[in-house]
Amino acid sequence: MQEMLLMYLKAFVVGGAICTIAQLLINYTKITSGKILVYFMLSGLVLQAFGLYQYLVDFAGAGATVPISGFGYLLANGAIKGAKHGLFGAFTGGLASASAGVTAAVVFGYFNALFFRAKSKKN
């Protein structure tokens, strides 16, 4: 029971820290949300390319893999594993490792579009 609570606490702290950094960037800089998303994804990719993001994943679990930086980690990890099978494997490995998450996002996005009406944000 104590191990599970510690696991949840670590995931909450690390995931919360990542999201807090993003929110601070949104609030206090002129960087757009889209650019912040890309920067975080690329940071996960670069950190995993140097083997550093894996330490964060081992420590925090879902707290490190669920934010968008975890998607970059997943792409890099798949590409590194796929590179063992050649250059083509390096290109397809990242896509293969992320395919389930991307498919889920597309399917759930489609169903949300069917059942809910989009509204523009009012000033």
Side-chain angles (χ1 to χ4, degrees):
M1 177 76 169
Q2 225 174 3
E3 286 182 30
M4 186 173 66
L5 289 175
L6 183 60
M7 181 180 63
Y8 286 142
L9 180 65
K10 289 191 283 189
F12 178 77
V13 168
V14 171
I18 292 171
C19 293
T20 299
I21 293 167
Q23 190 64 49
L24 289 172
L25 289 171
I26 290 170
N27 290 348
Y28 296 112
T29 68
K30 296 205 183 280
I31 304 172
T32 63
S33 299
K35 286 182 181 179
I36 292 170
L37 239 125
V38 171
Y39 294 152
F40 272 57
M41 193 272 303
L42 287 175
S43 69
L45 191 140
V46 169
L47 286 172
Q48 181 57 21
F50 289 111
L52 301 174
Y53 204 83
Q54 187 64 48
Y55 294 117
L56 195 60
V57 170
D58 292 341
F59 176 75
T65 58
V66 170
I68 192 69
S69 55
F71 183 67
Y73 153 78
L74 189 64
L75 288 174
N77 207 24
I80 291 167
K81 289 179 182 175
K84 295 175 184 171
H85 303 289
L87 184 61
F88 187 70
F91 286 112
T92 60
L95 298 175
S97 68
S99 62
V102 172
T103 301
V106 170
V107 169
F108 290 125
Y110 174 74
F111 284 125
N112 278 325
L114 286 177
F115 296 119
F116 299 102
R117 181 176 294 261
K119 297 178 186 175
S120 63
K121 186 176 177 181
K122 294 181 182 175
N123 295 329

